[in-house]
Amino acid sequence: MAATEDMAAAAAKAAAKRKVASLAFWSIVIAFLVMGLKFVAWQMTGSVALYSDALESIVNVITATAALWAIRISHKPADSDHPFGHHKAEYFSAVLEGVLIVVAAMLIIAKVWQSLQNPALIEQPWEGLMINGGAAVVNAAWALVLIRNGRAERSPALVADGQHIMTDVLTSVGVIVGLVAAVMTGWRILDPLLALLVALNILYQGWKLTGESLSGLMDRAVDTQEHMRIRDIISANSKGALEVHDLKTRIAGRATFIEFHMVVDAGMTVGDSHVICDRIEDALKAEIPSVRVTIHVEPDDEAKLPKGTTAVPFA
């Protein structure tokens, strides 16, 4: 029975790995497609705002490629050099994406400065805006796919890629609306000003994304709601134990690491305490994907709560 469950878990893990890798691959294909459309729109119009939108698409291509690399590395099994696995590789991809976003913003600001010296007339505006709008629709649909599946598979790289693409979509919408106003009013200055707003927004998103990714590299704990759910699972499956204390958690990519101390009667055999540990571990694995559990068993003189306390409380 246990062997069958292990095989099923291994099959599910392999399927999830293939799914995430496939999404990362198609992100590269779609990023190239969108980038091509946006550069066509820029070449047709000469708009600095559309140039800024197209330049951000280059970042999408680079980061989509980095995400595929990171995902493949993160799914590698643990080895002698990395006994806890390679889960954090995806955070490096997200950090790289944040840095490249900032670089793109600086390039846009340089272009804006040149354009402010001599604002140019936008050529073939409606055709260019239609092409850019089509690229935005493709991006929006794909961003939703990446965010939904990235959260389901607990892939920081996919979620970061999806969130950045969605930011790109919002940027495109703002650029399109602003350029329509510029064409209708004839105010050439609106084009570089729009590009400047795009650059500032990109800078903010890059800073935010880099900060979130660095937080993941710093072994951030699960949120309060998840922490309480873990406590409830342990309490419900720790019959025979006297107390649990020093519960700690950390997140590394898809994996959640849980460790705690479990107090048992000093006369309990190793075998009986091991049964309790197995029961708790199995319950956690059934509820939390890719969980790693470490339990330190202690005798009753290590308890932190008064003797006679019941219901396997947490100290």
Side-chain angles (χ1 to χ4, degrees):
M1 183 66 178
T4 303
E5 292 178 352
D6 289 342
M7 290 177 62
K13 185 176 180 180
K17 176 182 176 180
R18 289 192 298 270
K19 181 179 180 181
V20 171
S22 176
L23 287 168
F25 170 77
W26 281 106
S27 262
I28 298 174
V29 175
I30 292 174
F32 269 109
L33 171 64
V34 170
M35 181 183 70
L37 290 171
K38 289 188 175 184
F39 269 99
V40 167
W42 167 55
Q43 289 289 344
M44 290 178 66
T45 62
S47 164
V48 183
L50 291 184
Y51 166 79
S52 69
D53 207 10
L55 192 62
E56 189 178 4
S57 295
I58 297 178
V59 178
N60 288 349
V61 171
I62 296 172
T63 52
T65 304
L68 178 59
W69 168 84
I71 286 167
R72 287 181 173 175
I73 295 296
S74 70
H75 279 90
K76 290 176 62 178
D79 53 37
S80 57
D81 292 328
H82 306 87
F84 293 98
H86 302 76
H87 309 288
K88 288 187 178 181
E90 294 193 40
Y91 288 119
F92 289 101
S93 169
V95 170
L96 173 63
E97 183 166 348
V99 172
L100 289 175
I101 289 172
V102 173
V103 171
M106 300 307 294
L107 292 174
I108 293 169
I109 291 173
K111 186 72 173 179
V112 167
W113 177 253
Q114 294 175 8
S115 181
L116 283 172
Q117 310 307 309
N118 185 25
L121 182 68
I122 300 174
E123 302 175 1
Q124 296 180 276
W126 304 118
E127 293 87 345
L129 288 173
M130 285 180 64
I131 293 173
N132 208 70
V137 170
V138 172
N139 255 354
W142 187 244
L144 292 174
V145 170
L146 288 179
I147 293 172
R148 183 175 65 250
N149 286 279
R151 286 173 177 167
E153 303 299 336
R154 303 191 70 177
S155 171
L158 284 186
V159 173
D161 200 16
Q163 289 175 339
H164 173 225
I165 292 173
M166 188 58 73
T167 300
D168 192 16
V169 172
L170 296 176
T171 298
S172 296
V173 172
V175 166
I176 290 170
V177 172
L179 285 181
V180 168
V183 172
M184 297 295 290
T185 61
W187 296 348
R188 298 183 185 182
I189 195 68
L190 283 178
D191 184 30
L193 289 179
L194 279 170
L196 180 60
L197 290 176
V198 170
L200 294 176
N201 179 57
I202 291 173
L203 275 175
Y204 169 72
Q205 294 300 328
W207 175 265
K208 180 180 176 182
L209 178 58
T210 302
E212 290 174 352
S213 302
L214 289 175
S215 175
L217 288 172
M218 294 298 291
D219 287 338
R220 178 174 54 85
V222 301
D223 60 36
T224 302
Q225 184 178 356
E226 183 70 359
H227 184 88
M228 296 307 298
R229 186 166 79 100
I230 290 170
R231 284 171 58 109
D232 291 342
I233 293 171
I234 295 172
S235 291
N237 292 276
S238 53
K239 183 179 179 180
L242 301 177
E243 175 188 299
V244 171
H245 58 249
D246 293 347
L247 173 63
K248 298 176 183 178
T249 63
R250 66 184 178 92
I251 300 173
R254 300 176 316 283
T256 300
F257 290 83
I258 300 172
E259 64 175 78
F260 56 89
H261 294 194
M262 184 180 75
V263 178
V264 298
D265 187 280
M268 180 178 286
T269 66
V270 173
D272 288 341
S273 63
H274 186 67
V275 169
I276 301 173
C277 292
D278 281 347
R279 186 168 63 242
I280 295 173
E281 188 172 352
D282 290 343
L284 288 169
K285 287 181 177 179
E287 295 292 330
I288 304 172
S290 301
V291 70
R292 307 288 191 276
V293 184
T294 301
I295 305 174
H296 180 63
V297 179
E298 297 179 329
D300 50 20
D301 59 359
E302 296 291 331
K304 293 186 176 183
L305 294 171
K307 288 187 177 182
T309 308
T310 59
V312 196
F314 281 81

